[in-house]
Amino acid sequence: MLEGKRILLGVSGGVAAYKAVLLARELTTRGADLRVAMTHTATRFVGPQTFAALVGTAPALDLTDASRGGELHIELARWAQALVVAPATANLLARLAHGLAEDPISATALAFDGPLFLAPAMHHRMWAHPATCANVATLAARGARLVGPAYGRLASGEEGEGRMSEPADIVAAIEALVSDAGARADLEGLRILVSAGPTLEAIDPVRYLGNRSSGRMGWALATRARERGAIVTLVAGPVALADPEGIEVVHVRSALDMEAAIQSRREQVDAIVMAAAVADFRPAEVSREKLKKRDGDPAPTIQLVRNPDILRGLGEQRRGARPLLVGFAVETTDLLASARQKLEAKRADLIVANHASVAFEGDENEAFLVDAQGVTPTGRLAKRALADRILDVIRSKSRPES
Ligand code: C5P
């Protein structure tokens, strides 16, 4: 999918630089036309000769190499269709955020206005430092795409968030964007239903129980599925987002409404993605009149009853392989264990697990894709890129009905 795409790989100086070698190989295997730029420190971790042998051209190392004519960083910035920095050290992120231009990567970045991918790698305390957080926020606000870092064992021997994402994950993020994914129609013919947003459970005519779901993940899924050629229905709880174009949107309010809307369509679709944050409970009774507060009266007690688990219901009803079922697990603790448990209990084909801290607001998410084969961490991704990863799994699991 990267056939002929001109990609500049920037390698900065951290232990993870050795993984950049695998990334370079992965990118060239997929047909990318690759060039490499390295910081001086990176050359201490991996020999430039390794990249030269893999890529076929010598890495850019020195901006002031008098033996070359012209301005190397300008030439590279003009040539590249995407700039991928992996690993991106804390130091390099700081340079990029502040517009410094003292090495081939940051100088090229300053002259480059195409997509910039950053795969950070550093000790978890450096990643969590407010200075790094501010630099990353600046870069993200300018449109840079962060891939990772992942959680795991670090060079120091400790565990934490700071590992460079695996080369395959970086490649997937690049492919989702650079390979002109918008024009890719690889989901043509698939009918996909996506649920999104919260459900609101009425207490009385003016009050409800709700949750913080913004609907953005479901919107990203529905939009990307449509852009990739699927026929999409979006069953949406109340959110502040405009209806996407080219998609049938069914507006619902409560979990019971959502269940009815999905049930009446389940036989017409190939896959159902439950991205909605369905309320688990609803008030047992909805007061017909607004509940009033009267001086001296105690606060009312609201009795709750369980809502149906829509996904579980779909899993139980399903006979063959269709519809394919994808659920989300948003947790604050025991993320992977509960995702595995949900995969089984709800008889889903895939559970997308994420921490409550990243799941709801904002345009980014960081998830683990959990299926019968195992767990794949996605690293931190834009919701659209995560949507593509989920849709890739749906595509690969969708088999013609036998
Ligand atoms: O069990 P839990 O609520 O954590 O499961 C989350 C997944 O199940 C999500 O995909 C959500 O859309 C779905 N769900 C559902 N019906 C419910 C609660 C959750 O379909 N009542």
Side-chain angles (χ1 to χ4, degrees):
M1 266 198 293
L2 293 176
E3 201 59 51
K5 297 286 171 200
R6 297 189 304 274
I7 297 177
L8 177 66
L9 171 62
V11 183
S12 63
V15 186
Y18 78 92
K19 283 206 227 169
V21 175
L22 305 175
L23 176 61
R25 200 184 53 189
E26 195 77 25
L27 289 168
T28 47
T29 308
R30 282 159 196 257
D33 184 0
L34 193 67
R35 288 175 73 175
V36 176
M38 299 175 79
T39 62
H40 178 67
T41 324
T43 62
R44 303 270 183 101
F45 288 94
V46 209
Q49 188 56 37
T50 308
F51 287 108
L54 274 175
V55 172
T57 51
L61 303 173
D62 182 3
L63 287 175
T64 53
D65 180 356
S67 65
R68 308 183 78 261
E71 291 177 297
L72 182 56
H73 54 301
I74 303 298
E75 181 198 317
L76 287 172
R78 280 208 193 104
W79 171 86
Q81 291 172 305
L83 171 53
V84 182
V85 186
T89 58
N91 186 303
L92 196 87
L93 290 175
R95 268 179 273 163
L96 291 175
H98 292 277
L100 301 180
E102 56 192 31
D103 65 84
I105 306 171
S106 57
T108 305
L110 213 48
F112 178 69
D113 59 6
L116 170 64
F117 295 86
L118 301 170
M122 65 199 74
H123 186 271
H124 66 88
R125 263 189 242 119
M126 297 170 82
W127 175 245
H129 193 282
T132 307
C133 293
N135 291 334
V136 168
T138 302
L139 291 164
R142 278 189 215 136
R145 290 161 180 84
L146 272 292
V147 189
Y151 184 94
R153 201 176 159 77
L154 306 171
S156 63
E158 292 161 82
E159 288 221 343
E161 195 177 17
R163 261 175 83 87
M164 187 174 106
S165 288
E166 292 308 313
D169 293 326
I170 300 171
V171 170
I174 302 167
E175 275 183 344
L177 194 94
V178 175
S179 63
D180 202 8
R184 194 155 44 115
D186 59 347
L187 301 179
E188 197 129 26
L190 271 188
R191 292 154 304 173
I192 302 183
L193 186 151
V194 179
S195 73
T199 66
L200 305 187
E201 310 298 325
I203 296 171
D204 68 16
V206 295
R207 301 186 181 93
Y208 57 78
L209 295 175
N211 62 65
R212 284 170 49 203
S213 171
S214 67
R216 283 203 186 94
M217 190 63 234
W219 248 245
L221 277 158
T223 310
R224 288 299 301 135
R226 175 74 207 102
E227 287 168 356
R228 289 170 62 171
I231 300 163
V232 184
T233 301
L234 180 59
V235 177
V239 291
L241 300 171
D243 288 359
E245 285 191 15
I247 290 172
E248 181 202 9
V249 186
V250 184
H251 292 281
V252 296
R253 207 173 157 76
S254 66
L256 291 178
D257 298 342
M258 184 171 277
E259 183 187 40
I262 294 173
Q263 278 293 331
S264 66
R265 288 167 178 80
R266 79 181 158 90
E267 287 182 357
Q268 286 108 55
V269 295
D270 301 300
I272 297 180
V273 187
M274 287 294 301
V278 186
D280 291 320
F281 309 102
R282 66 177 184 277
E285 277 170 40
V286 182
S287 168
R288 287 168 52 153
E289 307 299 335
K290 182 182 167 197
L291 299 178
K292 292 204 191 314
K293 58 176 185 301
R294 292 197 181 84
D295 286 347
D297 278 4
T301 303
I302 299 170
Q303 179 78 35
L304 299 177
V305 291
R306 284 287 292 266
N307 266 330
D309 186 323
I310 305 173
L311 182 58
R312 195 181 188 125
L314 292 165
E316 281 164 7
Q317 286 164 330
R318 180 167 63 160
R319 291 296 164 258
R322 292 226 172 115
L324 205 89
L325 297 176
V326 179
F328 278 71
V330 178
E331 305 288 346
T332 48
T333 53
D334 296 332
L335 184 60
L336 294 182
S338 22
R340 280 194 210 96
Q341 187 267 330
K342 271 172 207 165
L343 187 75
E344 213 166 291
K346 303 193 189 222
R347 302 187 201 173
D349 300 287
L350 174 70
I351 294 285
V352 182
N354 42 200
H355 277 286
S357 57
V358 293
F360 290 116
E361 280 127 17
D363 287 320
E364 288 198 334
N365 205 335
E366 180 169 15
F368 296 87
L369 306 183
V370 181
D371 66 6
Q373 279 72 52
V375 177
T376 314
T378 65
R380 189 170 277 265
L381 291 175
K383 286 185 176 168
R384 273 173 71 86
L386 177 58
D388 272 317
R389 300 286 300 277
I390 297 166
L391 293 167
D392 289 344
V393 176
I394 292 178
R395 188 193 47 183
S396 71
K397 287 188 190 289
S398 295
R399 303 261 181 278
E401 196 89 86
S402 50

